[in-house]
Amino acid sequence: MKLILKPISAVTVFAMIVFGSAYAQVTPKLTDPEIASVAVVANQIDVNYAKIAKTKSKNADVLKFAQTMSDDHTAVIKQAVALVTKLGVTPKDNAVSQKLLSDAAKTKKQLNSKSGKAFDKAYIDNEVAYHKAVIDAVENLLIPQSQNAELKKLLQDVVPTLKAHLAHAEMVQKEFAK
Amino acid sequence: MKTSLKWGEIGFRYIFLLLFLYGCATPEERAIKVPVSDSTVSNPVYSGPSEPQLHVVEIKDMKFQPEEISVKKGDTIMWVNRDMVTHCVTEENKKAWTSSNITAGAFWKMVVEINSDYFCAIHQVMKGKIIVE
């Protein structure tokens, strides 16, 4: 009898990132108020990374990318806040939001310790990795678990924006690979 | 004979009045009157085979839809931003023309003269093409 090994799912990977490998088998269960919190926190983190880039970078492509991240993620937060206000939902803090924030604090520290080209490379590398992780989380955790149809639709609408950001970040990243 | 002249005069006055009122509108006001619906995309608005046509390109899900559009010289293309983020439409090779920012829900239009490769300068992976037949 052949042993069939299932490929590791993206949700499991996200669970590993969020909760550590000891809890890899546990997929976090989130309510709509918690999903709203994760969505706002995840967007705000990238706005904050952009803020650092705008003060530290002198590279035109990096600065332009950072401005786009700041504008777009602010626009997404605005839409999310408008929706939860309409639905009467109060975003609720949770383990996933907390983990995102504590990881972001470490990343911010690393970014602030660098300068010049080393900073630009670190910022763009992180943007590529961060957008990959967020796309994975939105597609495999937040969308499947959201109960409200409008919340689900907002999350679905955000995915193409995140994917365009990832492709844009990868384009800028090539500049630093030379 | 007398009656037909009278009707002719009324018709002339009516056309004059219509042209006068149209002339009072700013280009923006005229543009707003153009219906923008899903049916506009598949059926461009036009008034005759020799008249310049209006084509609509939707900016949706971070894509120009359609990405490639064939038009006649003198036709107008209207880009409508259906996304929640700001976009723009900019000629790619020489930055020969640009819409500047098109905010969520807004639109921009341009009379087409030549073939162009264009992109969104804000999201540089978004690309489109205009072919003048």
Side-chain angles (χ1 to χ4, degrees):
Chain A
M1 198 178 96
K2 277 185 183 176
L3 181 69
I4 299 166
L5 289 173
K6 281 186 184 174
I8 190 164
S9 80
V11 175
T12 311
V13 171
F14 185 73
M16 285 169 75
I17 295 165
V18 173
F19 297 110
S21 55
Y23 300 95
Q25 298 309 311
V26 183
T27 300
K29 292 269 179 250
L30 298 169
T31 62
D32 281 0
E34 287 170 337
I35 289 170
S37 162
V38 173
V40 171
V41 165
N43 279 287
Q44 190 57 51
I45 285 170
D46 209 47
V47 173
N48 295 343
Y49 289 152
K51 215 175 275 175
I52 299 172
K54 284 198 276 181
T55 57
K56 296 201 79 156
S57 181
K58 287 186 175 64
N59 180 293
D61 291 332
V62 170
L63 287 170
K64 210 165 183 183
F65 177 81
Q67 187 60 51
T68 300
M69 291 309 105
S70 178
D71 292 345
D72 285 6
H73 288 289
T74 303
V76 175
I77 292 171
K78 213 173 138 191
Q79 289 280 327
V81 169
L83 179 63
V84 295
T85 306
K86 184 188 149 193
L87 298 173
V89 169
T90 307
K92 190 170 178 285
D93 197 16
N94 60 85
V96 178
S97 295
Q98 285 298 325
K99 180 66 182 165
L100 284 171
L101 284 169
S102 63
D103 284 352
K106 284 178 208 152
T107 305
K108 268 192 248 176
K109 210 172 171 185
Q110 285 172 353
L111 289 175
N112 278 322
S113 72
K114 294 180 195 302
S115 59
K117 273 188 181 174
F119 169 82
D120 291 337
K121 190 179 182 307
Y123 170 69
I124 285 297
D125 285 350
N126 181 58
E127 284 300 295
V128 169
Y130 186 68
H131 277 86
K132 277 182 184 169
V134 171
I135 290 165
D136 193 11
V138 173
E139 284 187 326
N140 300 304
L141 185 74
L142 305 188
I143 292 173
Q145 293 198 12
S146 56
Q147 298 298 309
N148 180 278
E150 285 183 84
L151 179 62
K152 200 184 273 280
K153 168 113 189 7
L154 177 67
L155 293 165
Q156 285 165 337
D157 288 347
V158 169
V159 172
T161 309
L162 296 172
K163 286 186 175 172
H165 288 173
L166 173 60
H168 191 169
E170 285 172 336
M171 199 175 88
V172 180
Q173 194 180 37
K174 277 182 193 157
E175 217 179 285
F176 301 103
K178 285 169 196 167
Chain B
M1 181 71 181
K2 212 175 177 182
T3 317
S4 68
L5 262 178
K6 195 181 167 188
W7 280 110
E9 199 181 336
I10 290 167
F12 177 78
R13 280 181 183 170
Y14 182 67
I15 290 164
F16 179 78
L17 182 68
L18 273 181
L19 285 173
F20 177 75
L21 287 174
Y22 187 73
C24 290
T26 63
E28 290 75 21
E29 284 167 339
R30 275 176 219 152
I32 289 161
K33 287 171 191 166
V34 175
V36 183
S37 65
D38 288 345
S39 61
T40 317
V41 179
S42 50
N43 304 305
V45 179
Y46 61 94
S47 51
S50 60
E51 296 291 316
Q53 294 186 20
L54 174 70
H55 307 263
V56 175
V57 175
E58 283 196 300
I59 311 174
K60 197 169 179 290
D61 295 337
M62 309 301 277
K63 279 186 182 131
F64 296 109
Q65 301 184 19
E67 282 182 344
E68 192 176 306
I69 188 163
S70 296
V71 302
K72 289 196 170 64
K73 191 178 174 183
D75 283 359
T76 296
I77 300 178
M78 179 160 82
W79 285 266
V80 185
N81 184 2
R82 305 275 192 213
D83 276 340
M84 66 179 93
V85 298
T86 299
H87 290 296
C88 78
V89 183
T90 302
E91 195 276 325
E92 195 174 2
N93 301 316
K94 294 177 184 170
K95 315 285 181 288
W97 48 265
T98 181
S99 63
S100 299
N101 287 355
I102 309 173
T103 53
F107 66 86
W108 180 73
K109 61 195 181 81
M110 178 183 78
V111 176
V112 177
E113 297 296 333
I114 52 166
N115 289 340
S116 298
D117 288 325
Y118 69 87
F119 75 141
C120 169
I122 301 166
H123 310 98
Q124 298 177 10
V125 292
M126 292 171 59
K127 291 173 192 289
K129 196 182 190 72
I130 303 168
I131 299 161
V132 180
E133 288 170 337

